[in-house]
Amino acid sequence: MRLKSKHIPGIDFLAMIFISILIIFGAFGIISYQNTSIVLKNSIVDSNICMAADNSNLLKQHLKELKTIIEGVSFRTEIQSMDWSSQKPVLLEEAERLNVMRFQITDLAGYSQSTPEAQFDLPDLEGVHSALKGEAYISEPFQESAGKGAIMACSVPIKNKKKDIVGALTASLDSHFLIDSISNLQMGETGFGFIIDKDGRIIACPDREKILDKQSDINENPEFGDFIHEMGSREKGYALYNYAGKDYFTTYSKIADTEWFLALTAPEQEVFQKLDILKKKFFSLILITITFCIFCCLLLAGYLFKRKTVQDLELRVEEDKRLLKESSELEKLRTQFFANITHELRTPLNVILASIQLCKLYFEKEKGTHNVNMSKHLKTMKQNCYRLMRLVNNLIDTTKIDVGFLEKHAGNNNIIKIVEDITMSIQEFTQNKGINLFFEKNSEEKIIACDVDKIERIMLNLISNAIKFTDQGGSIYVKVEDRGENVVISVKDTGIGIPRDKQAAIFERFVQVEQTLTKNKDGSGIGLAMVKSFVEMHGGTITAVSEYGKGSEFIIDLPVTTIENKRDEFYLEEVETQRRIERINIEFSDIYYS
């Protein structure tokens, strides 16, 4: 038999939508990438042009400072005197101080004197003529006649006290002045700065060997020639050229008051490194997007083909929810029924207990052996009624906790007195068992918001457990400590202790540490679970510290809180004593005496 595949309507349409979205997203991505690339490239170019302009302004300031320094020498009285015998010592001193190669004095007639004594003319007389006309001038680096290297000259006018020009002072310096000014300039990772004149001649460069060199291999490059030509018509800009098979990016800016240009150059790849990073990120994003779209298409196809299975699972989930709801309602009914049963059990127990007490009263009025034996049996009956009452009370409270009906009736009470009264009330039980009972406190009063009834049940449960598991001659220590923000209550015994593997489970419901048939260790296994619930109801914690064979210690930590606008609760002494005796009889009902 041939099986026909079931057509799922809409799958072709959805696939076309995803493909369209992919195409549109790719187109927008390419447009966005192009626009971003243009903006980023323009930003990089503008930033480097601004850097060249800023550094050219700094270089202008350095040149201005040089003129100012040389003018300062010309202002000295000895220089203004135009007496060579007075000028020479001053010039020698200033040359050493300013690290100047030599100074030259030129008078109005064109006669020159220089330091050192060897006199030679400057190849560039334009600076001297400008100084004699009253204008300071700094020349381009040039080769001195002695051929010792590239130097530059700074000429300033010499004026007398009447401000009349009487000569020119020219300082010859090593071209390192310009080199030092640009040595720290850098663009990219390996780029550098240099100074060129309007004819394209390099007059300052970190590589001193290139200064005043013809650089025929550079200048003959057509692209570099276009760059030099462009500088003649613009004060700042940038250019791209190829040198030695490598593409370079150069930005330049004219140095004000000169015919020089400051240029910064670096390999194009270094300058536009961010563009390469953007390109890599773009293609990575495109690849991730395509992969994501393909993945989404696969998921969609899988979803459509498995839709029926999912619907079946949803139906099963709904069915499970229905069954769970029914089970929850059944459990709630069971809990309510259990609560009603426990209440009903307590009613006949109270009647039986009252009848036993009445019979005991009658028998005590008549003396006799028969009556004594009957009184003993009534006492046993009464104790077992108390045991049943204790079990029923615990079951009722457990049920209330499960359904959330157990409430805390808190009042502002002296917790130290409550614990002390309870401890002193059970001395008779400890004496009958031959156990020493000790009580310790560090304060007489500490008022906290607590439920007295539940505090009593906590203490009686812990102390009754300590009595059950402590042999004759042992000791029980009850301690209350006021620690300011909290109150710590400790019940410690020297009994049999708790095995290490059972300590984690002692606060769980219906768990008993000692599974024996001895009477002094009977119990339902819900007492400590109730204690923990009551402690947590007060916002506190309870922990157990025990070593098997050496005893146990239960530590309760209660926060100190009070209730506003509520008076402290006090009880009539007689009523409270009688109620506590009844509570003790119930809580200690599973302790037997020989």
Side-chain angles (χ1 to χ4, degrees), residues 18 57 66 72 83 101 158 166 227 233-234 274 280-281 331 355 365 398 424-425 495 497 503 539 576 584:
F18 268 96
N57 290 332
L66 176 61
D83 179 10
M101 296 176 62
I158 302 174
V166 295
F227 165 52
S233 59
R234 301 176 62 183
K274 291 183 178 179
K280 291 179 181 178
K281 289 184 177 180
E331 179 64 20
S355 300
K365 290 182 179 181
T398 301
M424 295 299 102
S425 299
Q503 291 181 12
E576 176 64 15
I584 292 172

Side-chain angles (χ1 to χ4, degrees), residues 303-530:
Y303 166 76
L304 294 174
F305 282 110
K306 296 180 180 179
R307 186 172 182 177
K308 187 177 183 305
T309 304
V310 172
Q311 290 176 346
D312 292 341
L313 289 175
E314 289 178 350
L315 292 175
R316 292 181 183 179
V317 169
E318 292 296 329
E319 179 67 16
D320 291 341
K321 287 182 179 179
R322 185 185 63 79
L323 294 176
L324 180 61
K325 183 178 179 181
E326 292 179 357
S327 176
S328 176
E329 292 176 352
L330 183 62
E331 179 64 20
K332 186 177 180 181
L333 290 174
R334 185 196 65 81
T335 303
Q336 292 177 350
F337 174 76
F338 190 71
N340 294 334
I341 288 296
T342 51
H343 276 286
E344 293 299 325
L345 286 174
R346 188 163 59 178
T347 301
L349 275 176
N350 288 330
V351 175
I352 294 172
L353 186 59
S355 300
I356 291 173
Q357 290 175 342
L358 185 60
C359 290
K360 184 179 178 182
L361 181 62
Y362 290 154
F363 284 115
E364 285 179 353
K365 290 182 179 181
E366 300 179 5
K367 303 296 182 179
T369 305
H370 177 75
N371 293 339
V372 171
N373 292 332
M374 185 61 69
S375 179
K376 181 178 179 181
H377 293 312
L378 288 174
K379 181 179 180 182
T380 302
M381 294 168 62
K382 182 178 181 181
Q383 183 175 3
N384 281 275
C385 284
Y386 282 141
R387 286 188 63 194
L388 285 175
M389 185 68 70
R390 180 172 184 263
L391 178 59
V392 169
N393 288 340
N394 288 340
L395 290 175
I396 291 175
D397 289 338
T398 301
T399 305
K400 288 183 178 180
I401 291 174
D402 288 340
V403 298
F405 289 161
L406 189 64
E407 298 179 354
K408 180 180 72 171
H409 303 285
N412 296 327
N413 299 282
N414 183 0
I415 187 66
I416 295 178
K417 185 176 186 307
I418 293 173
V419 175
E420 183 178 9
D421 290 346
I422 295 170
T423 305
M424 295 299 102
S425 299
I426 51 91
Q427 281 185 329
E428 179 183 352
F429 291 87
T430 57
Q431 290 174 357
N432 292 337
K433 289 279 290 186
I435 298 173
N436 300 314
L437 178 64
F438 301 93
F439 177 77
E440 182 182 349
K441 60 184 178 180
N442 69 342
S443 176
E444 292 294 332
E445 182 180 83
K446 187 65 174 181
I447 302 299
I448 68 170
C450 64
D451 187 331
V452 178
D453 179 73
K454 291 177 176 55
I455 294 296
E456 284 186 356
R457 293 186 63 181
I458 291 171
M459 294 305 301
L460 290 176
N461 188 285
L462 294 179
I463 296 174
S464 67
N465 283 343
I467 294 174
K468 283 193 291 185
F469 295 101
T470 302
D471 294 333
Q472 186 174 1
S475 300
I476 298 174
Y477 304 88
V478 180
K479 182 179 179 181
V480 185
E481 186 176 358
D482 178 8
R483 295 186 180 178
E485 296 296 327
N486 58 341
V487 174
V488 177
I489 304 171
S490 169
V491 178
K492 182 178 181 181
D493 62 64
T494 59
I496 62 175
I498 304 171
R500 184 180 298 274
D501 60 340
K502 298 292 183 65
Q503 291 181 12
I506 59 175
F507 293 107
E508 295 180 8
R509 194 177 300 176
F510 306 118
V511 172
Q512 289 181 288
V513 174
E514 191 68 29
Q515 298 291 344
T516 66
L517 297 177
T518 54
K519 291 185 178 180
N520 66 332
K521 295 179 178 59
D522 286 348
S524 62
I526 60 176
L528 288 178
M530 293 296 304

